[in-house]
C-alpha cells in the first residue's frame, strides 16, 4: 500500500529544510515569497494535508465541529443547523458551517480545511455518497455523522428520514383521492433522498395496480429552476397529469411559480403534494399538502451522535436513526370521481 505524503516528502520536493516547510504550513512567516510558493506547489503536487504531521501527536480538543451541507438556500438545512447549534451550545461547542453547492470538489476542499483547523468532528450531508474523500477525516481520527444522505464506502453514524414511507404515503393519498395520472418531479437518483422518494412513488403505483407512465416521471436536480422547468414539461403533455408529487421543497417553490405563470390552477385542475415543508405552504390559496420532516430533531440527534463519538475513546458500533415523516394534508389535493 502506498504511504501517504509527509512533511519530509514536501521538504525534499521543494528542496528546503523541514523547519522551513513547518514555518510555511503554520503561517509563521520569515520565508521568502519564492520559497513559500515552491513549498505550496509541492504540497499541492503531493496531495499533502497540512495537519497530517500531527497524526503522531496527541490530538487536542478544539471544541469546534464542522457542518457541511450541499445547498444553504434549501430551507431544510438552516432548521437542521438550528438543532445542531442548540445542542452544541449546551456542550460549549462552536460550529462552522460550509455549503458545497452540490460540488464534490468543493466538498473535498472543505474537508481538508476542516482538518487543518483541527475540528473535533464533522456532520455532513455529502454531495458524493461514495465518500472516498471522507476517509481523510477517518484517517485523522475525526468522527463523522451523515445526515439525509448515506455514505457507502465506510461506516459512519447516520440520521435519515424514511423517504420511501413519506413518498409512498403522499402518492397513496392521491390514489385514494381517485388520481391515476400522478406525475413525480424527481431529485437526482444518485442521492439517497432522490432515489428513495422515487421508489416510494413507484411502490405506491404498483400496490394499486397503476402502470408507471414514464411521461409523468420528470428528473430535476433539487433546485428551484428544475422544479419550474419540470412543471412546464408536464403542462406541455397532451394528456396532462391530474396530480403532481414534488420530491423536495425548492422544486416545490419552482413548481408553484410555474403553475401560476401557466395559469394551471392548483387544487382545481391539478392536485399537489410536496416533500418537505416550505414557508409559503400555508399562505398559498389553496394551502399546500406536504410530507414534513422533523428537521430540528434531525440536527439534535446528529450532534448527540457526534458528541458521543468525540467523548468516547473506545469503539462504538455504527448507529443509524430512521425518523418518520408526517403527511400533512391541506387544500391542494382534490377528490376525483373515481376512488378505490
Amino acid at each position: 500500500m502506498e504511504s501517504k505524503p509527509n512533511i519530509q516528502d514536501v521538504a525534499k520536493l521543494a528542496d528546503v529544510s523541514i523547519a522551513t516547510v513547518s514555518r510555511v504550513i503554520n503561517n509563521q512567516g520569515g520565508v521568502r515569497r519564492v520559497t513559500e510558493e515552491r513549498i505550496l506547489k509541492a504540497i499541492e503536487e503531493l496531495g499533502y494535508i497540512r495537519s497530517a504531521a500531527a497524526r503522531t501527536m496527541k490530538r487536542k480538543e478544539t471544541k469546534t465541529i464542522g457542518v457541511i451541507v450541499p445547498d444553504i438556500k434549501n430551507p431544510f438545512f438552516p432548521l437542521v443547523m438550528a438543532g445542531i447549534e442548540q445542542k452544541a451550545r449546551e456542550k460549549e461547542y462552536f460550529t462552522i458551517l460550509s455549503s458545497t453547492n452540490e460540488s464534490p470538489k468543493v466538498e473535498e476542499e472543505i474537508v481538508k480545511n476542516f482538518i487543518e483547523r483541527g475540528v473535533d468532528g464533522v456532520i455532513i450531508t455529502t454531495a458524493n455518497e461514495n465518500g472516498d474523500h471522507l476517509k481523510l477525516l477517518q484517517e485523522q481520527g475525526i468522527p463523522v455523522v451523515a445526515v439525509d444522505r448515506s455514505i457507502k464506502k465506510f461506516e459512519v453514524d447516520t440520521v435519515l428520514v424514511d423517504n420511501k414511507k413519506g413518498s409512498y404515503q403522499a402518492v397513496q393519498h392521491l390514489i385514494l383521492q381517485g388520481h391515476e395520472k400522478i406525475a413525480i418531479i424527481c431529485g437526482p437518483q444518485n442521492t439517497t433522498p432522490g432515489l428513495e422518494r422515487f421508489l416510494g412513488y413507484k411502490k405506491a403505483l404498483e400496490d394499486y395496480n397503476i402502470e408507471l407512465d414514464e411521461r409523468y416521471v420528470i428528473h430535476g436536480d433539487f433546485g428551484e429552476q428544475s422544479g419550474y422547468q419540470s412543471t412546464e414539461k408536464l403542462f406541455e403533455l397532451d394528456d396532462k397529469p391530474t396530480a403532481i408529487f414534488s420530491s423536495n421543497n425548492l422544486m416545490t417553490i419552482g413548481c408553484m411559480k410555474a403553475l401560476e405563470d401557466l395559469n394551471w390552477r392548483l387544487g382545481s385542475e391539478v392536485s399537489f403534494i410536496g416533500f418537505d415543508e416550505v414557508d409559503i405552504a400555508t399562505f398559498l390559496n389553496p394551502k399546500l399538502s406536504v410530507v414534513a420532516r422533523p428537521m430540528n430533531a434531525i440536527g439534535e440527534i446528529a450532534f448527540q451522535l457526534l458528541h458521543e463519538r468525540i467523548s468516547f475513546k473506545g469503539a462504538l458500533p455504527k448507529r443509524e436513526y430512521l425518523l418518520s415523516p408526517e403527511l400533512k394534508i391541506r387544500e391542494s389535493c382534490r377528490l376525483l370521481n373515481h376512488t378505490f
Side-chain angles (χ1 to χ4, degrees):
M1 182 176 176
E2 188 177 343
S3 61
K4 298 193 181 330
N6 55 38
I7 194 169
Q8 290 91 344
D9 297 325
V10 175
K12 183 178 179 180
L13 182 60
D15 194 23
V16 296
S17 69
I18 292 172
T20 303
V21 175
S22 179
R23 293 191 69 83
V24 170
I25 66 178
N26 291 300
N27 298 312
Q28 292 175 331
V31 179
R32 292 173 59 198
R33 182 62 186 168
V34 65
T35 304
E36 180 180 349
E37 289 177 354
R38 197 162 70 245
I39 291 169
L40 292 174
K41 183 179 179 182
I43 287 171
E44 184 178 353
E45 286 183 13
L46 291 169
Y48 171 70
I49 299 175
R50 299 183 189 187
S51 64
R55 281 200 298 266
T56 58
M57 302 169 60
K58 184 177 179 181
R59 277 191 89 245
K60 293 182 180 179
E61 238 183 45
T62 62
K63 302 294 283 188
T64 302
I65 64 166
V67 181
I68 304 174
V69 301
D71 187 357
I72 196 60
K73 299 188 299 297
N74 187 325
F76 170 76
F77 293 110
L79 292 171
V80 172
M81 188 67 187
I84 293 171
E85 286 198 309
Q86 173 63 35
K87 291 301 179 182
R89 281 195 296 270
E90 291 175 8
K91 299 293 185 181
E92 299 182 341
Y93 276 79
F94 178 74
T95 57
I96 304 173
L97 174 64
S98 288
S99 179
T100 66
N101 197 29
E102 293 283 6
S103 167
K105 182 179 179 181
V106 172
E107 184 170 299
E108 187 168 352
E109 291 171 358
I110 294 170
V111 165
K112 290 178 179 178
N113 184 269
F114 279 174
I115 292 172
E116 291 174 16
R117 290 175 180 271
V119 297
D120 295 330
V122 172
I123 296 172
I124 185 168
T125 301
T126 183
N128 177 10
E129 294 193 25
N130 285 331
D132 288 327
H133 59 298
L134 299 179
K135 290 181 181 178
L136 296 171
L137 295 165
Q138 192 177 50
E139 289 162 0
Q140 299 291 323
I142 300 173
V144 179
V145 172
V147 168
D148 192 43
R149 300 182 186 181
S150 301
I151 295 173
K152 298 179 174 65
K153 288 292 182 70
F154 63 101
E155 293 193 343
V156 299
D157 295 332
T158 306
V159 185
L160 300 169
V161 167
D162 196 335
N163 292 293
K164 291 180 185 177
K165 178 181 178 181
S167 61
Y168 184 98
Q169 289 177 335
V171 177
Q172 180 187 49
H173 176 78
L174 292 169
I175 293 170
L176 294 177
Q177 292 287 98
H179 296 275
E180 296 186 16
K181 301 174 184 178
I182 303 170
I184 180 172
I185 303 176
C186 296
Q189 297 299 284
N190 62 344
T191 67
T192 297
L195 177 60
E196 290 186 347
R197 291 169 197 172
F198 172 70
L199 292 177
Y201 162 86
K202 184 178 177 182
K203 183 68 164 59
L205 296 182
E206 289 173 355
D207 285 354
Y208 287 88
N209 297 313
I210 298 173
E211 186 176 351
L212 189 149
D213 189 332
E214 293 292 345
R215 296 176 302 166
Y216 298 147
V217 179
I218 310 294
H219 293 279
D221 61 9
F222 281 152
E224 182 179 321
Q225 186 63 23
S226 74
Y228 190 100
Q229 293 170 345
S230 297
T231 307
E232 286 183 313
K233 291 177 182 177
L234 292 171
F235 185 76
E236 290 168 1
L237 294 174
D238 291 333
D239 192 11
K240 294 180 178 57
T242 61
I244 298 173
F245 172 60
S246 168
S247 294
N248 93 322
N249 45 16
L250 289 180
M251 293 194 302
T252 291
I253 293 170
C255 180
M256 292 303 104
K257 290 180 178 179
L259 290 179
E260 182 168 346
D261 289 348
L262 296 167
N263 197 28
W264 196 4
R265 290 176 296 176
L266 177 66
S268 59
E269 291 184 330
V270 62
S271 292
F272 180 89
I273 300 179
F275 205 106
D276 272 344
E277 194 73 89
V278 291
D279 290 340
I280 61 172
T282 57
F283 293 99
L284 287 176
N285 183 19
K287 297 176 181 178
L288 291 187
S289 299
V290 299
V291 179
R293 291 189 282 177
M295 301 176 193
N296 279 87
I298 291 170
E300 291 173 358
I301 293 170
F303 177 80
Q304 183 61 37
L305 292 174
L306 187 66
H307 185 254
E308 289 171 5
R309 289 282 178 190
I310 294 169
S311 305
F312 187 72
K313 303 306 178 185
L316 285 172
K318 175 185 175 181
R319 296 162 297 173
E320 182 172 299
Y321 276 74
L322 187 64
L323 307 181
S324 289
E326 178 187 359
L327 179 60
K328 294 184 177 182
I329 297 301
R330 298 185 179 120
E331 301 162 358
S332 61
C333 301
R334 68 184 174 116
L335 180 68
L336 295 187
N337 293 330
H338 172 64
T339 58
F340 285 81

